[in-house]
Amino acid sequence: MNISKEQIDDLNAVVKVEITKADYEDKVNDILKNYRKQANIPGFRKGQVPMGLIKKQYGKAVLVDEVNKLLQDNLNKYLTEEKLDVLGNPLPKQQDNFDWDSDTLDFEFELGLAPDFDVKLKTKKAITQYKIVADKKMVDEQVERIQKQYGKIISKDTVEKNSEVTGTFTNSEKEITKTTTVEVDKLKSKKAKDALVGKKVGDTVTLNTKGLFAEDYMLASATGLSNDEVKDLKIDLEFTIEEINEREPAELNQELFDKLFGKDNVTSEKEMKDKIKEDSEKQFEQQADQKLLNDVTEKLIDETTFELPAGFLKKWIQFSGEKELTEAEAAEEYEKSEKGLRYQLIEGKIIKDNDLQVQFDELKEFAKGFIKTQMAQYGQLDPKEEELEGIAARVLGNQDEVKRLSEQLMSQKLLDLYKEKANLKAKEVSYENFVKEVYG
């Protein structure tokens, strides 16, 4: 067997493979002999079928199968030994009038080669690194929510400004019949608030959906409609009052602190607020990190320029799937996937240049941290090390989980690298302003 490469340009090459009878003949003959031993053909005893008949019936299929195996094994070996960084897979070139009976079989494969480029983490324009802080307003609102959640519910006869009113929304046109609880002081519409205050159980008031709640999702929840259905919705709803309650806020005392944070971990209102601020900002950090990762990714794609073997990749997309595509369909798929492919190459280059690796011990510790966080959500705040080890061993026994966790850990390593070396500018914002800036 002889394998050689013809370089077309920096991004395209053709590999030529020459296979002779000596490369496959012995293997083909051994397989055919085994076929002969097992063949059941009418008119012949088992094992006594003439070899000529076996060759006529099975010879071509066995030959094709063995040659394809040889091609696959040796082509992959060649690409590895030559350290060729290929995109997609080698594409066999179409050969008209190919003769499988020839003493020498010649094959050609098109290759798309990965481009050579450099990545500069110090981008031309600085990227904003957000630090989201829990401001006094947010912390105070959270304390208020906690006090309401753990407070006493007092039944009332008449709706007041701070009442919680349970009732049923109805509208025959939209087929709405939905029982829900609304907090009067949380309604956006002053007209709706005025309509409810002073009403009693059994009363029915008419409320218009336009501007009733501050957010569309709140109207969707109250009516049972989808977010799309309530967008710009302007209809009258009948609201029949069934229950009126007032929440007496829980006192900020040691009993409440212990219930929320464990015995004696928090001993004052100030410590409670500090703890709420700390916990909130830890959660915000994940959102800020994801935003930073996305922004660095976009900036690197924009500022790292290189050519791709587009013609080869379109052809590979056209013929490599389960269903062959048209040229137009393949071109459309290429346009959709080009940006992702570019970042895969950029990310691979960053990982290689900075020697970022995921070691098994690191992965196990990462998995244990992930498991510990999940257990904490269900009230298991201090699991034993042996328990964590056992769960982590089961998780890492699943290859899909290993792949998922490895990708998450590598993302964390990339994020740490970007924080150290990328061109960043820090910006401290409240969560409310972060949402406005990032999501509009």
Side-chain angles (χ1 to χ4, degrees):
M1 180 182 298
N2 182 44
I3 304 181
S4 59
K5 177 172 69 77
E6 178 187 345
Q7 194 76 29
I8 306 301
D9 54 40
D10 289 342
L11 299 174
N12 295 274
V14 173
V15 169
K16 299 180 179 181
V17 184
E18 181 186 275
I19 296 179
T20 65
K21 272 190 177 182
D23 295 316
Y24 61 80
E25 193 169 38
D26 289 346
K27 182 67 174 175
V28 168
N29 286 337
D30 287 344
I31 293 172
L32 292 176
K33 285 174 186 176
N34 285 330
Y35 275 26
R36 187 185 181 211
K37 290 176 185 178
Q38 303 298 325
N40 284 311
I41 297 178
F44 298 97
R45 283 184 296 167
K46 187 175 180 179
Q48 299 299 315
V49 180
M51 182 55 82
L53 187 57
I54 293 293
K55 285 184 177 180
K56 183 176 180 182
Q57 192 162 349
Y58 302 108
K60 184 61 65 67
V62 172
L63 168 65
V64 172
D65 189 45
E66 285 307 307
V67 168
N68 280 330
K69 287 179 184 176
L70 276 172
L71 282 171
Q72 187 70 39
D73 292 344
N74 286 279
L75 190 55
N76 288 339
K77 184 180 176 184
Y78 175 81
L79 296 178
T80 302
E81 289 177 347
E82 295 295 315
K83 298 179 180 178
L84 295 177
D85 193 1
V86 299
L87 301 179
N89 293 315
L91 275 178
K93 291 186 75 172
Q94 186 66 37
Q95 293 174 277
D96 297 327
N97 303 317
F98 187 82
D99 184 8
W100 283 99
D101 295 320
S102 175
D103 287 344
T104 301
L105 303 176
D106 294 311
F107 300 90
E108 293 186 354
F109 295 87
E110 295 179 61
L111 301 181
L113 305 177
D116 186 25
F117 60 93
D118 292 318
V119 180
K120 294 179 180 177
L121 293 179
K122 291 285 185 185
T123 52
K124 297 171 187 173
K125 188 175 179 182
I127 299 163
T128 301
Q129 181 182 9
Y130 290 96
K131 175 175 172 51
I132 308 171
V133 295
D135 56 15
K136 183 179 183 300
K137 178 187 173 188
M138 171 175 277
V139 173
D140 288 345
E141 286 175 351
Q142 179 68 0
V143 171
E144 184 183 333
R145 279 195 292 272
I146 290 170
Q147 286 185 276
K148 278 191 175 183
Q149 182 181 345
Y150 288 90
K152 292 179 183 177
I153 297 177
I154 302 170
S155 180
K156 292 285 186 177
D157 296 325
T158 306
V159 178
E160 298 175 9
K161 289 181 180 180
N162 59 345
S163 295
E164 289 184 4
V165 184
T166 299
T168 300
F169 280 116
T170 57
N171 178 282
S172 56
E173 180 188 347
K174 292 290 184 179
E175 298 181 345
I176 296 169
T177 304
K178 181 73 163 53
T179 300
T180 190
T181 299
V182 297
E183 296 178 58
V184 176
D185 62 349
K186 292 293 192 291
L187 292 173
K188 183 181 179 184
S189 167
K190 183 179 183 301
K191 187 177 179 181
K193 290 179 183 180
D194 292 343
L196 283 167
V197 171
K199 296 296 186 293
K200 299 181 181 297
V201 171
D203 289 348
T204 297
V205 294
T206 301
L207 305 174
N208 194 277
T209 57
K210 185 172 177 60
L212 183 59
F213 294 100
E215 302 288 347
D216 284 346
Y217 77 86
M218 298 169 75
L219 179 60
S221 176
T223 58
L225 299 175
S226 69
N227 286 335
D228 288 338
E229 288 175 313
V230 301
K231 192 174 178 62
D232 299 322
L233 183 67
K234 188 178 180 181
I235 60 170
D236 284 334
L237 298 171
E238 299 299 314
F239 184 64
T240 302
I241 299 171
E242 296 163 7
E243 189 177 335
I244 304 167
N245 293 308
E246 182 181 311
R247 285 189 183 262
E248 182 180 289
E251 288 185 35
L252 297 177
N253 55 24
Q254 195 59 46
E255 182 184 355
L256 179 62
F257 302 152
D258 290 348
K259 195 177 291 185
L260 292 169
F261 305 107
K263 187 165 176 58
D264 296 331
N265 288 323
V266 167
T267 59
S268 69
E269 182 180 342
K270 181 182 183 305
E271 286 182 15
M272 176 187 180
K273 289 184 175 181
D274 289 344
K275 179 67 173 166
I276 289 172
K277 179 178 174 66
E278 179 188 345
D279 290 346
S280 297
E281 289 179 355
K282 278 183 183 176
Q283 294 178 3
F284 297 154
E285 189 177 352
Q286 295 176 2
Q287 294 184 56
D289 281 351
Q290 188 58 55
K291 170 64 176 166
L292 177 62
L293 197 59
N294 293 344
D295 288 348
V296 173
T297 297
E298 289 293 329
K299 188 63 71 176
L300 289 175
I301 292 172
D302 287 344
E303 295 192 5
T304 308
T305 57
F306 51 81
E307 294 296 320
L308 288 170
F312 168 84
L313 290 170
K314 289 174 186 176
K315 191 186 294 186
W316 178 68
I317 290 170
Q318 183 179 1
F319 295 110
S320 64
E322 291 182 10
K323 177 188 172 185
E324 185 176 318
L325 304 179
T326 64
E327 283 189 25
E329 289 171 333
E332 185 179 347
E333 285 300 313
Y334 174 75
E335 291 300 322
K336 290 178 185 175
S337 60
E338 183 187 1
K339 188 174 182 179
L341 175 58
R342 285 185 177 279
Y343 185 66
Q344 282 181 21
L345 292 170
I346 291 168
E347 186 182 81
K349 177 73 171 170
I350 293 170
I351 290 170
K352 182 180 178 183
D353 288 351
N354 294 277
D355 194 27
L356 300 182
Q357 299 177 30
V358 172
Q359 305 291 348
F360 180 76
D361 287 346
E362 287 181 304
L363 188 62
K364 186 169 76 168
E365 288 305 310
F366 185 75
K368 282 160 65 176
F370 183 75
I371 293 161
K372 197 171 181 179
T373 300
Q374 287 190 316
M375 293 175 77
Q377 292 174 0
Y378 294 94
Q380 292 178 265
L381 300 176
D382 191 24
K384 293 182 178 177
E385 183 64 21
E386 309 88 77
E387 188 178 7
L388 288 173
E389 285 279 347
I391 298 172
R394 288 196 295 275
V395 169
L396 296 177
N398 182 317
Q399 289 304 308
D400 289 337
E401 285 297 306
V402 170
K403 182 175 183 293
R404 183 177 68 84
L405 289 170
S406 295
E407 288 172 352
Q408 288 183 2
L409 180 52
M410 182 54 74
S411 287
Q412 185 60 52
K413 285 176 175 280
L414 286 167
L415 182 64
D416 291 342
L417 179 72
Y418 297 155
K419 286 181 178 180
E420 179 189 350
K421 295 188 175 181
N423 183 13
L424 306 179
K425 60 177 180 182
K427 184 172 185 180
E428 192 171 285
V429 292
S430 67
Y431 182 71
E432 185 179 355
N433 287 334
F434 173 77
V435 172
K436 284 179 182 176
E437 284 193 30
V438 173
Y439 305 109

